[in-house]
Structure formats: structure tokens, C-alpha cells
Amino acid sequence: MFAGTMVLALAVDAVMGWPDRVFDRIGHPVTWLGGLIDALERRFNREADSFAARRLRGVGVCLFVTFVAGFAAQVLVWALPGGLWGAVLTGVLAWPLVAARSLYDHVARVAGPLSRGDLQGARDAVAMIVGRDPNLLDEAGVARAALESLAENTSDGVVAPLFWGVLLGLPGIAAYKAINTMDSMIGHMSPRYRAFGWAAARLDDLVNLVPARLTGLLFVAASGSEWKQALKVMIADAGHHRSPNAGWPEAALAGGLGVRLSGPRVYDGALSSEPYVNVGAPDPRPFDLARGLVAYLWAMGIMALVMMVLAL
């Protein structure tokens, strides 16, 4: 296993994130993947083709992008020295593929104005991390959207990449990020992507099955004295979520904080009627978002400790 290198990747990300000056100069590995995915989608997702043909091409693109990301990472591994320096360099190369710092920063940018009563500022900040119309959200709606994003992206953006990195090293974390990026770009149910993005969405569901449940357990462990309630809500309500995976961390976080999450929301002007998670609890208040960030930090600390034990 590669637990030690993934601990290093998490540590570097926690300290540095991905600096703006670096992004401005070279972009980010996810944007590089996004450019490849976009080019392939425009080339092969032709509306004139049949549903079956578009799905088949989508399968091919999904496999190709995953292979390219994993193989490119493996080539880098072959070029690295062995021993301690090789492990250190592998951790540094994995660092951009961990989004722990950026996730915290994005949610904190919502929590700040929300705690000061600046609803519009909080709406503007939450629009950067969720797809729903922020102008329709009241104070509780903003807090709920930010907490849901925190829970889901803890799994997709931090725990899952590190999980596959621990198991398969740099190629594992790179391949996972390729799959997750494809899902975010083309894994939708809109007419354009229903066929072409089918494989990306299904593969993303598959590779997140274990990490999502591990993330739920991390939030349970981070709930302190409320861990029993967090576990109870997670077990009872995770399956109510529209996603086979996102419900696990969301339900655990909702139970630990004693708030309700999910529920109806508006996307592109259309109401999506979805059940609440932890339905009997009240809506989150501004300070619950700060509590959620504390739970997130505890969860990250617990995960780092587990990886360190595995490394030893």
C-alpha cells in the first residue's frame, strides 16, 4: 500500500492548497483532464447519432480517459528514483489531486458572510460550489447547500482520491480523478449527456461505493458525543438520497450536527422534490456551518491518523 505517500500529499495540500499563482501559470491537473474530456465529447457526442451509438462512444471515451490518466501517472512513477526520495516525490505529485484545503476554503467563504448576516454575500459564495439557483435560497437554504456540498465533496474530493491512492499509488489517484471529473462534466441526465455520459456516471458510482461509506464513518467518528445519533441517521437515511453514495456522508453529518439536509431544491428553474435527510431535525443555522467545518477538520485528522497507522 501507499499510505505514507498519501499522508504526505494530504499534508502538503493542507498547508499550501493549490496556489493561485501556480494555477495562473500552468492550470491544474483537473483542468488538463477537463480539456481532454471536453475535446473528446465535442468530437464523439454527435446529436445526429443513435442513443446506442452515443452510449457506446461514451463507454470508449470513459475507458480511454481513465487509461490515459492512470498510464501517464505510471510513467511518472517509472521515472522516479526508488526508496525514500521516490516516496516523497510520489506524495508531492499526488498533492494536486487532493482537494482538502480548497474544500475547506470554499465552504468557509460561505460561512463568513452568513454568520455576519450578509445573505447576498453568502449566496454569491455558495454559487461557486453548488448547482442550484442561489437567489432562491434563504439563510437556512444557503447553510444547507453548503453543508451538503461539504459532505459530498469530502468523499469525492478528499477521501476517495486518497483511498485509491493508498491502494494503487499515483496511478490509482490519477485514474480516480479522471473518472470523477468525467462524471462532473458529462455524467448528467440531460438530453445531451444521457447516453454519452452513462458510463462515466456508472463508473463514478462504482469507484465511490467504498469511499462514500468510509466518509460517513469518518463523520460519525468526528461527531464526538453525538456519534450514536450520527450513526443512527446514517444507517436510516443514507438510502433516501438521490445518489447511491452521497447520502452516506450527508446523513452522518446531518445526524452529528442535529440538522436536516437535502430536501427540495431548484435546478435550472425546475423544482426537484427530494426527501430530507434527518427529516425530524431543524434546518441548519449559520453557526451550524461553522460546526460542520470543525467536524470536517476532525474527520480529516482521523483519516490522516488511520493512514499513518497503515503506513507504519
Side-chain angles (χ1 to χ4, degrees):
M1 291 195 296
F2 302 88
T5 58
M6 294 304 117
V7 171
L8 177 60
L10 178 62
V12 175
D13 177 72
V15 173
M16 298 184 60
W18 189 249
D20 290 340
R21 62 183 180 276
V22 176
F23 182 86
D24 292 339
R25 183 176 294 271
I26 65 171
H28 187 275
V30 170
T31 65
W32 307 341
L33 285 167
L36 174 61
I37 295 163
D38 182 64
L40 292 171
E41 190 274 332
R42 286 186 283 106
R43 173 66 178 83
F44 293 107
N45 188 19
R46 297 190 289 262
E47 295 184 2
D49 291 338
S50 67
F51 185 93
R54 294 170 77 180
R55 174 178 283 193
L56 184 61
R57 290 195 178 98
V59 171
V61 166
C62 182
L63 296 176
F64 175 75
V65 173
T66 304
F67 172 79
V68 166
F71 184 72
Q74 184 60 56
V75 170
L76 290 174
V77 171
W78 287 333
L80 294 176
L84 178 61
W85 278 112
V88 170
L89 291 173
T90 300
V92 171
L93 288 171
W95 148 47
L97 304 177
V98 182
R101 174 67 178 266
S102 64
L103 175 57
Y104 180 91
D105 289 345
H106 277 97
V107 177
R109 292 189 188 108
V110 182
L114 196 64
S115 66
R116 297 190 297 269
D118 180 6
L119 180 57
Q120 190 55 52
R123 285 171 170 170
D124 293 341
V126 84
M128 303 298 293
I129 56 175
V130 300
R132 68 199 73 170
D133 186 349
N135 293 316
L136 299 178
L137 299 176
D138 57 10
E139 185 179 81
V142 170
R144 188 163 59 244
L147 285 171
E148 291 165 13
S149 180
L150 177 65
E152 183 171 355
N153 286 296
T154 299
S155 178
D156 291 356
V158 187
V159 177
L162 290 172
F163 173 82
W164 289 107
V166 168
L167 288 183
L168 302 174
L170 191 64
I173 192 172
Y176 172 80
K177 291 301 288 189
I179 294 166
N180 190 243
T181 304
M182 282 188 288
D183 178 63
S184 66
M185 293 181 65
I186 64 175
H188 311 301
M189 292 298 290
S190 64
R192 179 171 181 83
Y193 298 117
R194 186 185 301 270
F196 190 79
W198 172 84
R202 298 290 78 76
L203 186 56
D204 185 73
D205 287 343
L206 179 63
V207 297
N208 279 296
L209 277 174
V210 174
R213 286 146 182 82
L214 289 177
T215 308
L217 291 175
L218 285 171
F219 277 126
V220 169
S223 297
S225 62
E226 299 298 322
W227 72 269
K228 290 183 179 179
Q229 179 65 13
L231 181 61
K232 177 182 176 181
V233 173
M234 182 180 73
I235 293 172
D237 288 359
H240 299 164
H241 200 278
R242 66 190 182 282
S243 165
N245 294 318
W248 292 86
E250 278 192 29
L253 183 61
L257 297 178
V259 300
R260 67 177 183 175
L261 297 177
S262 196
R265 72 279 311 278
V266 175
Y267 291 112
D268 299 324
L271 177 65
S272 176
S273 297
E274 298 175 13
Y276 283 101
V277 171
N278 200 18
V279 64
D283 282 321
R285 291 156 291 182
F287 69 85
D288 289 317
L289 190 48
R291 293 173 60 221
L293 285 170
V294 172
Y296 169 75
L297 292 176
W298 274 106
M300 294 300 94
I302 294 167
M303 180 177 63
L305 180 61
V306 170
M307 289 194 298
M308 290 172 65
V309 171
L310 290 174
L312 294 174

